[in-house]
Amino acid sequence: MIFKGAARALLAIMAALPLVACGAPPGQTGDGMRSSQGGEGTLETPRVLTCSNRNGDIGDESDLLASIGPDDLVAGPLVIPGLLAWGTAKPEEYGSDNRFKVGAVVRKGGKVTLSIPKEFHESAGMLYAEVARRASNPAGTDHSVTFVACDDHDTLFVGGFHVLAPRCVPFDIAAPGKPVVRKEISFFHGKC
């Protein structure tokens, strides 16, 4: 788990950045969003977020991974602080309207792809890219994102998930040269 000071800083950053973009057309459908994304964010063509095209000015990232604990999702270079504790948490502690904020941290120089299996696309998606945040439902969000960290420091990617909670959602996590790992995450649904 991240030290309290670093956790507070991370939460302050997350709270300052909205998950819904301004000016998104009301009632935008998943199909409309997918065509405007040019096919990115699918399993076949994951959206790629890098040190230079991620959302927001993050500031000092030197303490992001000061300490990792049992509630943090850790897979290869990817760390999502506190995500494993969401099973017993209250949804309103992390967001509203089935949109939940949490940063993804990738260790310096790391690359990792996080994907949601196709059978869950109607109920779960990712909101790490600005265009995905405009989706009115999980089907219009990204379902596969490749995170590429900065070469010289651990890197925070601001975003979260659009999940019709409560439910359990499997994630496939792929890092270069490593076998794909599947992790099932409870979104306020107790034990999966």
Side-chain angles (χ1 to χ4, degrees):
M1 194 172 315
I2 295 177
F3 288 125
K4 287 183 181 180
R8 279 193 294 273
L10 181 61
L11 289 174
I13 290 168
M14 296 302 297
L17 297 169
L19 282 180
V20 179
C22 296
Q28 180 78 40
T29 66
D31 291 337
M33 288 309 302
R34 186 65 60 221
S35 64
S36 70
Q37 291 178 17
E40 290 184 273
T42 65
L43 293 174
E44 297 78 27
T45 56
R47 181 171 310 283
V48 178
L49 298 176
T50 67
C51 192
S52 62
N53 75 347
R54 61 192 169 136
N55 293 318
D57 180 19
I58 308 304
D60 183 17
E61 295 176 283
S62 60
D63 287 4
L64 291 176
L65 297 176
S67 178
I68 296 174
D71 290 339
D72 302 335
L73 172 66
V74 179
L78 176 70
V79 178
I80 302 181
L83 187 61
L84 300 181
W86 286 23
T88 57
K90 295 178 180 170
E92 59 272 11
E93 294 173 3
Y94 295 94
S96 61
D97 297 324
N98 292 310
R99 293 170 174 265
F100 307 106
K101 297 178 184 182
V102 64
V105 180
V106 180
R107 296 177 196 278
K108 72 177 180 178
K111 178 179 178 179
V112 63
T113 300
L114 185 63
S115 299
I116 298 171
K118 187 173 180 110
E119 59 270 21
F120 290 86
H121 288 189
E122 296 294 320
S123 59
M126 292 180 269
L127 302 171
Y128 289 95
E130 188 65 37
V131 69
R133 294 177 186 180
R134 295 184 191 129
S136 63
N137 56 58
T141 64
D142 288 335
H143 298 103
S144 188
V145 176
T146 297
F147 300 101
V148 183
C150 303
D151 290 332
D152 60 348
H153 64 275
D154 298 335
T155 308
L156 173 65
F157 295 88
V158 175
F161 301 98
H162 191 167
V163 176
L164 302 180
R167 73 181 57 245
C168 293
V169 178
F171 288 89
D172 292 328
I173 305 165
K178 306 281 186 191
V180 173
V181 175
R182 179 164 282 189
K183 300 273 187 173
E184 191 168 28
I185 304 299
S186 176
F187 286 85
F188 321 107
H189 189 64
K191 190 171 179 148
C192 293

